[in-house]
Amino acid sequence: MSDVPFKNPGWAGNTGEFDLSEDQVRGDDFVGERPKHGGHASGSATMPYMLAEKNPDAVLFEGEYKERFEKILTRYPDKQAALLPALSLAQELRGYVSPASMDRVAELLGLSPAYVRGVTTFYTMYNKRPVGRHLVQVCTNISCNLCGADDVLAAFLRYTDTELGETSEDGNFTVIEAECLAGCGFPTCVQINSRYFENVSPTEVPKIIEHLKAEGDS
Amino acid sequence: MAYPYVSDREVRVVSKHFGDPLQRRIDTYVERGGYKALAKALEVGPEDVVDIVKSSGLRGRGGAGFPTGVKWSFMPKDTNRPHYLLCNADESEPGTFKDRELIRWDPHQLIEGCLIGAHAIRAQHVYIYCRGEFFETTQVLARALEDAYAKGYVGENILGSGHTIDVTVHAGAGAYICGEETGLMNSLEGRRGLPRIKPPFPAAVGAFGMPSTINNVETLCAIPHIVTHGGEWYRQWGTEKSPGTKLFCVSGHVNKPGNYELALGFPLSELIEDVCGGVRNGNALKAVIPGGSSVPIINAEEVSRCSLDYEGCVAVGTMLGCASVIVMDETADIVKQVRRMADFYAHESCGQCTPCREGTTWTAKILRRIEDGRGTEEDLDTLMQTTQNMVGTTICVLSDSVAAPVQSSIVKFRDEYLALIRRGERVGAA
Ligand SMILES: Cc1cc2nc3c(=O)[nH]c(=O)nc-3n(C[C@H](O)[C@H](O)[C@H](O)COP(=O)(O)O)c2cc1C
Ligand code: SF4
Ligand code: FES
């Protein structure tokens, strides 16, 4: 186990993805630019990030986000298909999907507000209320559970001083249980905002939390 | 030795470059022979591609094991309407972690497979539906796609062939049920991910009402290799009915968990003992779920007889599923783990069908009661009955998936249930 588990705790090898630097993901001579905030042309601009920095009052959508939104529309045969990507974009920007965000997205896509609420509430990744700057999702499903996920969850709750699903007083952390994150061979698997932390054991939890606090926005 | 663990018993076809970050770069991929299969496919045409895949006997790696070439041949031959190829990268079956690895280590392999698949079914647009949690994975894929567009492997007039195929990466938003093929289509269309009643089948009415085919990531990753080397080549591994190689995702109580690519038909006990370095701490083996959380659990004796191909698993009363081998040693608490799986299904049921919506919830509740020492022996009968009513009565098979672990564990590990019930009774009486 490496000394800096938050860099790459996983047995999956150093993919560098946790830092998201072009060089590490692609090798030294990568050319090309990743649009700010993770939007990407070929991904129909729909690759949102869960950012630590969030602005609940941001306008849907303007500037670079407007461009991404319009790009999304070109990738599908009809407007309705842009709903999930648009909601993800709204969440990236505002940190959660409020009823007001849903209504605005409905307006932009020519859908009824009721329909958009029905869809939004179906999917777990749309936060229906604000969450901490770092949303910690601990997988407690079977493979991780067999390897002690319950203890990892308990450690996160203890060291962030929160209750399950609640946000810590300093606004830094919300800790929730997650279903299988598809990292079962590298238990316990924890997703924090956009990043996967693999092979997390309870003893590493304080280090990860310190790292996140020190890192500031990611 | 590189990638988390490798074994010399492996046959690495789709996982050959796991652990090598260079493989993500398009130059390296092309240098190593990449996109040659695409050129060949464009040259020989859709019918021949389908024939090659049929002759390989490749079966869908998403769980059901349906022959891929046959599935492709169901697509209408006309091109008056758009056709769609959907790549299922919604990987969320507990125990399964292969598609994420395939994408982030070798994104071009998947893109090439998608393009060949699209050509075979005469589709001009591919949607790769990635589960929403895969932020980084999706980034890697999107960047690779950008490069492939830039080099003319995707988009208009691919390699000067006159064919146009676009590929879009689409991110989900967290719902297991979107991995079910028709649920995925609804989700892609901007709806709730509710599975649809079949027929009509996707090849007739699929995404956006158009003929569609859906394939798993691993299935499509095997395609370039099969097109390059031919069906017979692929058949050198595996069994008559389950040809080829398969990624096995081993998790739980083994010394070396991870992804291992093996010829189908590999003995399960050897996978655990030789490939994965045995059960951790030298403990005794208690149980294995060989195909992800939706298949029946088997005990140590059945493990010793189980060979890892579609038929071999059925022979010991379970299924290969997506080959996610979850290993439990003597310390594992079967009741707790089955309850955890039931919780998962109760959470993920889309709620359309009463047997599933009510059944998953009650199953989870009763199991929790037993786990907490408040259960009775009657509860076990109730569980058997409830889950039996959930089989074959619903729109999709999520409902059936609950019955598999619950029923098999009650039959095979009844003692553990009874011990909890008895202890509860004693504590209650005291
Ligand atoms: C509840 C449910 C969840 C599923 N989840 C997935 C999944 O995450 N990934 C996948 O490839 N197939 C999944 N499947 C299987 C798909 O419905 C479909 O059979 C498969 O993607 C077809 O691809 P293949 O022929 O290449 O296997 C799921 C099926 C059900 C019923
Ligand atoms: S079986 Fe369950 S998950 Fe499948 S469609 Fe019915 S309610 Fe939804
Ligand atoms: S069970 Fe935890 S990631 Fe799959």
Side-chain angles (χ1 to χ4, degrees):
Chain A
M1 186 63 54
S2 92
D3 234 59
V4 275
F6 39 81
K7 276 289 178 196
N8 180 18
W11 282 336
N14 187 1
T15 64
E17 287 160 55
F18 298 99
D19 297 308
L20 291 170
S21 92
E22 305 289 5
D23 282 357
Q24 280 167 299
V25 175
R26 302 297 307 278
D28 293 336
D29 57 351
F30 170 72
V31 283
E33 240 173 66
R34 181 163 60 87
K36 265 179 246 147
H37 300 301
H40 202 280
S42 314
S44 71
T46 64
M47 248 102 313
Y49 266 93
M50 306 247 268
L51 300 168
E53 181 199 342
K54 296 153 186 163
N55 175 7
D57 303 318
V59 178
L60 303 183
F61 297 103
E62 63 178 15
E64 168 210 322
Y65 279 87
K66 185 158 186 279
E67 272 170 42
R68 281 172 66 186
F69 175 72
E70 278 163 5
K71 182 115 198 170
I72 292 170
L73 294 176
T74 66
R75 293 284 177 159
Y76 302 93
D78 62 31
K79 264 185 158 183
Q80 179 180 284
L83 179 52
L84 266 63
L87 289 168
S88 302
L89 217 53
Q91 172 152 311
E92 174 183 317
L93 204 49
R94 291 181 169 177
Y96 73 114
V97 186
S98 63
S101 304
M102 296 181 213
D103 293 354
R104 177 67 186 137
V105 169
E107 196 183 323
L108 286 168
L109 295 176
L111 300 165
S112 80
Y115 176 82
V116 173
R117 282 189 204 192
V119 173
T120 313
T121 49
F122 184 83
Y123 295 96
T124 51
M125 278 177 64
Y126 299 126
N127 305 323
K128 278 68 160 190
R129 58 193 172 108
V131 295
R133 286 171 65 253
H134 300 283
L135 178 62
V136 180
Q137 309 194 54
V138 183
C139 168
T140 55
N141 214 309
I142 180 162
S143 301
C144 294
N145 206 305
L146 284 167
C147 300
D150 285 348
D151 299 335
V152 175
L153 178 66
F156 269 107
L157 291 173
R158 193 169 127 227
Y159 288 104
T160 57
D161 196 18
T162 52
E163 302 280 328
L164 195 62
E166 303 296 326
T167 300
S168 61
E169 254 168 51
D170 57 10
N172 267 335
F173 298 99
T174 304
V175 182
I176 59 175
E177 259 183 279
E179 295 300 352
C180 176
L181 292 167
C184 327
F186 323 111
T188 291
C189 193
V190 182
Q191 183 176 23
I192 303 179
N193 288 359
S194 304
R195 281 186 279 186
Y196 268 49
F197 291 72
E198 294 167 356
N199 288 341
V200 177
S201 66
T203 51
E204 284 159 353
V205 170
K207 264 197 275 183
I208 293 176
I209 288 174
E210 281 318 306
H211 172 70
L212 291 171
K213 280 185 182 163
E215 188 186 57
D217 296 342
S218 62
Chain B
M1 276 294 278
Y3 180 68
Y5 299 111
V6 289
S7 155
D8 53 15
R9 311 270 323 253
E10 281 183 273
V11 185
R12 306 222 289 170
V13 176
V14 293
S15 64
K16 186 166 177 204
H17 299 288
F18 277 16
D20 177 2
L22 289 177
Q23 180 70 7
R24 295 194 189 95
R25 293 172 39 201
I26 193 159
D27 297 345
T28 317
Y29 184 75
V30 171
E31 254 165 49
R32 291 173 178 172
Y35 289 113
K36 286 222 178 82
L38 172 64
K40 181 174 172 189
L42 291 170
E43 200 184 303
V44 301
E47 256 114 70
D48 282 8
V49 175
V50 172
D51 284 344
I52 296 172
V53 175
K54 265 190 189 164
S55 73
S56 75
L58 172 68
R59 296 172 67 168
R61 303 303 193 211
F66 193 82
T68 306
V70 178
K71 189 158 156 179
W72 287 358
S73 68
F74 293 155
M75 287 293 278
K77 306 277 180 289
D78 70 88
T79 46
N80 313 333
R81 296 180 295 165
H83 294 185
Y84 293 107
L85 177 70
L86 310 175
C87 171
N88 193 341
D90 191 53
E91 181 163 67
S92 8
E93 171 102 351
T96 314
F97 53 103
K98 61 190 176 64
D99 297 342
R100 173 170 166 249
E101 298 291 283
L102 279 167
I103 296 173
R104 59 191 200 142
W105 289 114
D106 209 341
H108 288 288
Q109 176 176 252
L110 175 63
I111 294 170
E112 188 174 8
C114 285
L115 292 166
I116 298 171
H119 184 60
I121 63 162
R122 299 172 171 83
Q124 297 204 324
H125 207 137
V126 182
Y127 288 99
I128 305 180
Y129 187 107
C130 287
R131 73 177 283 187
E133 285 84 350
F134 286 175
F135 292 97
E136 289 131 342
T137 316
T138 320
Q139 285 290 334
V140 171
L141 182 58
R143 289 180 210 182
L145 195 49
E146 179 108 313
D147 289 349
Y149 262 104
K151 302 253 165 159
Y153 295 112
V154 193
E156 277 173 35
N157 192 15
I158 297 173
L159 300 173
S161 66
H163 291 287
T164 297
I165 304 173
D166 277 305
V167 180
T168 299
V169 180
H170 179 92
Y176 168 66
I177 197 60
C178 295
E180 199 280 336
E181 50 188 9
T182 52
L184 185 147
M185 288 169 193
N186 272 337
S187 179
L188 179 66
E189 291 176 16
R191 304 167 197 272
R192 286 184 273 173
L194 308 177
R196 301 171 181 172
I197 293 173
K198 290 179 269 191
F201 290 96
V205 183
F208 306 107
M210 299 299 161
S212 308
T213 291
I214 181 159
N215 285 121
N216 173 255
V217 169
E218 191 187 350
T219 313
L220 290 168
C221 285
I223 296 294
H225 305 282
I226 292 171
V227 168
T228 303
H229 302 286
E232 272 312 304
W233 168 85
Y234 196 63
R235 283 185 174 275
Q236 67 178 295
W237 302 290
T239 66
E240 174 63 27
K241 288 186 172 154
S242 306
T245 64
K246 172 88 191 73
L247 274 173
F248 289 89
C249 314
V250 190
S251 64
H253 297 157
V254 287
N255 283 317
K256 295 193 254 175
N259 274 303
Y260 298 96
E261 188 169 358
L262 302 166
L264 281 159
F266 200 88
L268 175 52
S269 51
E270 286 179 33
L271 171 62
I272 296 170
E273 289 308 321
D274 299 354
V275 177
C276 299
V279 176
R280 65 163 190 191
N281 304 335
N283 287 353
L285 180 72
K286 185 192 266 183
V288 171
I289 304 179
S293 66
S294 307
V295 311
I297 193 166
I298 55 177
N299 60 29
E301 187 274 323
E302 286 158 327
V303 167
S304 67
R305 294 188 280 121
C306 181
S307 75
L308 292 166
D309 52 279
Y310 296 94
E311 290 70 29
C313 285
V314 172
V316 296
T318 183
M319 288 183 292
L320 186 65
C322 31
S324 318
V325 181
I326 306 169
V327 180
M328 295 180 238
D329 72 10
E330 55 191 322
T331 65
D333 182 341
I334 299 277
V335 180
K336 178 184 176 195
Q337 298 309 335
V338 172
R339 188 268 304 158
R340 185 64 188 81
M341 286 191 276
D343 279 347
F344 167 75
Y345 289 110
H347 181 252
E348 300 297 339
S349 165
C350 82
Q352 281 188 101
C353 321
T354 310
C356 174
R357 182 183 61 242
E358 298 294 317
T360 49
T361 312
W362 281 105
T363 304
K365 277 188 185 168
I366 297 172
L367 283 166
R368 170 67 88 173
R369 183 160 80 206
I370 296 174
E371 192 188 343
D372 290 349
R374 293 179 289 114
T376 63
E377 210 169 331
E378 242 189 321
D379 282 339
L380 298 182
D381 299 333
T382 312
L383 279 175
M384 290 300 271
Q385 223 174 41
T386 314
T387 48
Q388 196 49 45
N389 289 337
M390 294 166 69
V391 175
T393 53
T394 53
I395 297 175
C396 85
V397 294
L398 182 139
S399 185
D400 307 51
S401 305
V402 185
V406 173
Q407 296 190 346
S408 57
S409 66
I410 293 179
V411 170
K412 290 168 196 173
F413 299 96
R414 199 178 177 86
D415 290 356
E416 299 207 10
Y417 284 92
L418 288 178
L420 283 170
I421 292 167
R422 301 270 179 271
R423 198 176 61 208
E425 282 167 358
R426 277 201 304 278
V427 175

